[in-house]
């Protein structure tokens, strides 16, 4: 890692001539073309102050501009009058603006975007929108979020759908995720559910290849792919139409640093008609002159329900614009990867700590375990497991008390540190020093 | 209407010795026991300033305190650190506080309350949570909201459920809503869907009697009652357990004057187990040590999904507390009814205007029509209808331009004016004067 990296604006993002020993070699330089230095840019994020923030995969640090946009929206509505013709027209415009801003980030068209409350809502829309028949099969990975597992369980119970789980966790460092998924497809498979960026291990799955494999599989009905994109939207530089993924559910409050309660779902244009709305409301329908519903909306709004926290929509739109002020999604991703590689390398050097991945991460999630031995005299395996969990939990709590925000993951039992393009190398150095001290 | 009305604090709410001609006789008096005068109280609602607000049935005017609570919540989360152990515990507390505040307003226990995004979400939870069988029957009234009609249509299509619609609109001034519903029950009826306070005509249905009739009906399976309570929560003084209603879906952003995007669903304890969650997420499940879902939550959270705009929760909680500072729900309802009676009486006196109800409203919705004749020479009925709609729409637009906020209703074609306990008699007088002038 000795190359100097310049972004498209001729800016030296991170001169990565660091040594294995410390930060001495790390220099952030700005060229005359730089729009905003990261130090200056970070001033807009109150959540980054007075702590070292490594929880972007849980929730992002919302920029002050986003809070101001939320406040302004609330105030505007009250000033002009809620539910007035004027305010309703304004809200419709703002909703359209957010849809455009999201579509631009994902390199797609606004019509393919449904606005939702969160990533799980998007997954629910897809999972309940398929006309399941008894004996249909759904394939998911062993790294999906408990919320998604619970939806799938209820789908299986209600419709007599078979559920298969394929071992993706084991492909983190070796093995072939595409092959694993292909081996688990059967002629009655209708849907594959997976995460693009695994929330527990930080692995990035080769989505384009997986989608192509599913689409090419000679199933009785086309095999569709639903992605839980909780960790990938706002961190990976995405072009959804190019990936050919069918359904991509995401949230705005993690890597995009928007407020909680606003997310979205991308539906590939070619499969739009297949999906039926389940949770339904006035936003998804057109009405006739007498106010009776007469047909679904013909774009992503078809799956939207009713009144949402629309001022928070303004918050997300503004958060996206704030990131763009600093750099393109490619520039942000590039910096993020350099930082996560640095964190990964430094963590791997701590005695008693082991990173789950044995190569640098391809995104911002770095998961690691405490490897110190558990005295195993008469303790059973479950007791040793519990002790490991408690140890993990204690370390995260101690770090939080010292101003370092990370989280535990239950399976595999580990600690997850997330870096964003907003992270500073010196924050990583301080974290490393703290972990060293605490795990001594 | 010559009685003086005192509330439980000994306060003279509205001395209603007004004449039919004007406001001369209207006096608002306060006794020494009054907590806050309405004039003083209204200062907390920026949405009431510089206009005359009659749209509470669309959206309430949010108090400044609620916006401050939203801002404080956002700032607190950023300051302490999103997703930290500390913030997550704080959010759990705030969510519990909101649940308690709502439960108190509805005279029920927190365990019976599911927090939702809006009233439609609550209706969806119930409608998709029943294990429908082909041939089951659902009965709804002819006054339900288009969003609800659309859900019912999709339920009918997917599960082969029969849908019957009973004529409640015609019972506004005569007839017996309980009788109408009873006549439409059949042995295969499983669910009755109705609004407590009809959004179009302002009629309050005798809910306790309807529920008793449904519960007593000798159907093959128990007949459950789902209420769209968009207009009744925050305007009627409710005791849900006493009504024995099964499901009661509501929103916080109308009569409770909370922010958009927060609502709830009451589920009667005795029928809680019957209902299955459909849209599912981490909030509704318990997980085992390895993070796998192992059972549903055992209270209203069972039907909650995932990350919501939790700062807005604080907004609703604060809005409810703000109303309570002025008076109890009975006191607020009493004042609201006096004001709506006044509005109804004054409207009825305008030539060319007809109130849909021919007796004073039992809540805050007052719907009226322009009765001026449409020249019917060669115009067909549909053209005359269109002319009537355009006329209605023009009047509402003209009123909005002059600072009076009301809305049109498509069926029956009318204008809806809503008064809350926050309304001033002089606002009503100004509205009456404006309508007189505009409809001349």
């Amino acid at each position: 890692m000795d190359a100097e990296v310049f972004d498209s604006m001729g800016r030296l993002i991170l001169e990565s001539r660091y040594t294995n020993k410390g930060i001495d070699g790390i220099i952030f330089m700005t060229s005359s073309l730089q729009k905003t230095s990261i130090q200056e840019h970070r001033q807009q994020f109150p959540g980054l102050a007075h702590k070292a923030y490594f929880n972007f995969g849980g929730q992002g640090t919302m920029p002050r501009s986003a809070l101001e946009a939320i406040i302004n929206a609330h105030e505007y509505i009250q000033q002009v009058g809620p539910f007035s013709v004027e305010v309703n027209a304004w809200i419709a415009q703002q909703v359209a603006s957010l849809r455009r801003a999201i579509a631009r980030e994902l390199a797609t068209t606004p019509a393919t975007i449904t606005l939702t409350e969160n990533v799980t809502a998007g997954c629910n829309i897809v999972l309940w929108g398929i006309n399941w028949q008894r004996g249909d099969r759904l394939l998911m990975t062993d790294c999906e979020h408990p919320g998604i597992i619970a939806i799938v369980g209820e789908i299986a119970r209600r419709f007599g759908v078979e559920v298969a789980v394929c071992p993706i966790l084991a492909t983190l460092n070796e093995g072939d995720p595409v092959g694993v998924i292909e081996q688990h497809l059967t002629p009655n498979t209708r849907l594959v559910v997976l995460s693009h960026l695994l929330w527990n291990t930080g692995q990035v799955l080769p989505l384009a290849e997986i989608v192509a494999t599913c689409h090419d599989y000679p199933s009785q009905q086309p095999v569709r792919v639903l992605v839980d994109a909780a960790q990938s939207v706002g961190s990976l530089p995405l072009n959804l139409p190019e990936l050919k993924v069918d359904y991509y559910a995401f949230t705005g409050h993690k890597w995009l640093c928007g407020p909680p309660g606003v997310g979205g779902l991308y539906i590939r244009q070619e499969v739009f008609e297949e999906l039926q709305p389940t949770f339904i409301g006035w936003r998804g329908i057109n009405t006739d002159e007498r106010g009776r519903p007469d047909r679904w909306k013909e774009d992503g709004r078809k799956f939207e329900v009713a009144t949402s926290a629309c001022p928070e929509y303004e918050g997300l739109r503004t958060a996206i614009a704030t990131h763009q002020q600093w750099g393109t999604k490619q520039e942000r991703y590039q910096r993020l990867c350099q930082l996560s590689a640095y964190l990964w390398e430094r963590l791997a050097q701590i005695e008693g700590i082991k990173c789950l991945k044995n190569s640098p991460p391809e995104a911002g999630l770095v998961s690691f375990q405490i490897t110190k031995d558990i005295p195993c005299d008469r303790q059973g395996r479950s007791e040793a497991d519990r002790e490991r969990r408690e140890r993990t939990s204690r370390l995260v709590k101690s770090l939080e008390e010292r101003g370092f925000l990370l989280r535990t993951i239950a399976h595999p039992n580990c600690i997850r540190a997330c870096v964003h393009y907003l992270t500073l190398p010196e924050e990583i150095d301080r974290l490393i020093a703290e972990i060293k001290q605490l795990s001594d």
Side-chain angles (χ1 to χ4, degrees), chain A:
Chain A
M1 292 191 65
D2 271 311
E4 290 182 2
V5 181
F6 290 86
D7 69 12
S8 60
M9 300 294 288
R11 162 174 40 159
L12 182 61
I13 300 183
L14 171 61
E15 192 184 10
S16 46
R17 272 184 258 116
Y18 56 83
T19 68
N20 286 344
K21 299 298 166 196
I23 59 162
D24 316 46
I26 300 282
I27 307 159
F28 275 80
M29 287 180 62
T30 55
S31 81
S32 56
L33 277 168
Q34 182 158 358
K35 288 167 264 185
T36 321
S37 80
I38 197 72
Q39 287 284 10
E40 203 184 316
H41 185 60
R42 280 171 54 98
Q43 301 305 311
Q44 300 181 70
F45 295 79
L48 297 173
H50 314 302
K51 65 182 95 60
Y53 196 73
F54 294 97
N55 247 343
F56 297 97
Q59 184 170 340
T61 49
M62 192 169 77
R64 181 76 210 175
S65 56
L67 178 55
E68 278 159 10
I70 293 168
I71 298 169
N72 290 344
H74 274 297
E75 286 179 341
Y76 175 80
I77 291 169
Q78 296 303 319
Q79 183 207 318
V80 176
F83 219 81
S84 57
V85 174
E86 190 177 338
V87 158
N88 286 347
W90 180 81
I91 289 174
Q93 270 176 22
Q94 303 309 308
V95 172
S97 294
L98 173 60
R99 206 183 302 276
R100 279 197 304 272
I102 289 174
R104 210 176 303 124
E105 274 291 297
L106 307 180
T108 182
T109 58
T112 60
I113 299 297
T114 297
L115 298 175
T116 67
E117 202 179 4
N118 46 55
V119 58
T120 318
C123 292
N124 273 292
I125 288 170
V126 175
L127 283 159
W128 292 99
I130 293 170
N131 64 339
W132 294 110
Q133 306 298 320
R134 185 164 294 278
D136 285 345
R137 193 157 182 269
L138 182 156
L139 174 63
M140 67 193 299
T141 84
D142 59 350
C143 290
E144 301 313 314
H145 196 275
I148 308 305
I149 299 171
I151 312 170
V152 168
E154 181 65 8
I155 295 274
R157 189 189 71 78
R158 288 214 205 169
F159 303 112
V161 167
E162 291 171 21
V163 175
V165 177
C166 63
I168 283 294
L169 181 61
T171 68
L172 177 61
N173 292 313
E174 51 190 2
D176 164 26
V178 184
V180 168
I181 284 171
E182 188 165 22
Q183 285 155 29
H184 285 80
L185 295 175
T186 58
N188 57 343
T189 303
R190 288 190 67 187
L191 186 72
V192 174
V193 181
L194 49 79
S195 300
H196 193 170
L197 169 43
L198 302 186
W199 74 297
N200 50 1
T201 64
Q203 182 179 9
V204 178
L205 295 182
L207 188 57
E209 292 80 350
I210 291 172
V211 168
T213 301
C214 293
H215 286 180
D216 290 347
Y217 186 81
S219 187
Q220 286 151 7
Q221 293 188 64
V223 180
R224 303 293 178 216
V225 179
L226 162 62
V227 170
D228 174 346
Q231 300 300 333
S232 47
V233 163
S235 68
L236 303 185
L238 294 163
N239 182 317
L240 296 188
E242 268 182 24
L243 290 169
K244 299 211 187 305
V245 61
D246 300 298
Y247 314 112
Y248 204 79
F250 54 93
T251 177
H253 82 296
K254 293 183 187 280
W255 298 88
L256 289 175
C257 302
V262 191
L265 169 66
Y266 162 86
I267 303 176
R268 186 163 65 93
Q269 207 186 328
E270 293 77 5
V271 300
F272 184 84
E273 282 300 323
E274 283 175 25
L275 206 66
Q276 286 304 307
T278 307
F279 273 29
I280 288 165
W282 59 262
R283 278 168 67 176
I285 56 174
N286 290 303
T287 51
D288 65 15
E289 266 209 333
R290 292 185 61 189
R292 291 171 300 206
D294 62 359
R295 62 186 195 285
W296 306 122
K297 291 247 164 67
E298 282 160 9
D299 54 25
R301 292 175 297 171
K302 174 177 172 186
F303 302 97
E304 294 174 8
V305 183
T307 306
S308 294
C310 51
E312 310 276 331
Y313 282 22
E314 281 289 278
L316 176 54
R317 192 175 64 80
T318 307
I320 293 172
T322 303
H323 299 312
Q324 285 165 346
Q325 280 163 20
W326 185 80
T328 64
K329 56 191 179 187
Q330 283 79 9
E331 290 166 337
R332 288 178 261 144
Y333 175 65
Q334 200 167 12
R335 184 182 155 94
L336 175 157
C337 284
Q338 291 165 333
L339 289 160
S340 67
Y342 179 55
L343 171 59
W344 171 84
E345 188 157 324
R346 300 287 321 264
L347 273 171
Q349 290 159 8
I350 302 177
E351 207 175 302
I353 293 292
K354 179 177 168 267
C355 289
L356 295 187
K357 261 179 102 16
N358 62 18
S359 58
E362 296 161 278
L365 277 66
V366 184
S367 293
F368 60 95
Q369 291 174 316
I370 308 170
T371 53
K372 209 186 277 177
D373 275 348
I374 307 274
C376 66
D377 41 341
R378 277 210 295 279
Q379 296 189 334
R381 189 176 153 193
S382 72
E383 220 167 315
D385 267 5
R386 187 169 321 121
E387 172 58 26
R388 275 192 203 93
R389 284 178 205 292
E390 277 165 17
R391 201 183 261 180
T392 304
S393 182
R394 273 198 303 277
L395 179 53
V396 166
K397 273 188 199 137
S398 301
L399 285 168
E400 183 166 327
E401 282 157 20
R402 288 160 176 78
F404 296 87
L405 300 194
L406 294 79
R407 69 161 286 179
T408 58
I409 296 281
H411 180 71
N413 169 43
C414 63
I415 298 174
R416 188 182 76 187
C418 298
V419 296
H420 209 328
Y421 80 97
L422 296 161
T423 306
L424 297 177
E426 50 262 41
E427 291 180 300
I428 294 174
D429 291 320
R430 290 200 289 124
L431 174 66
I432 294 294
E434 206 65 44
I435 291 175
K436 268 186 186 160
Q437 200 189 328
L438 284 167
S439 56
D440 256 1

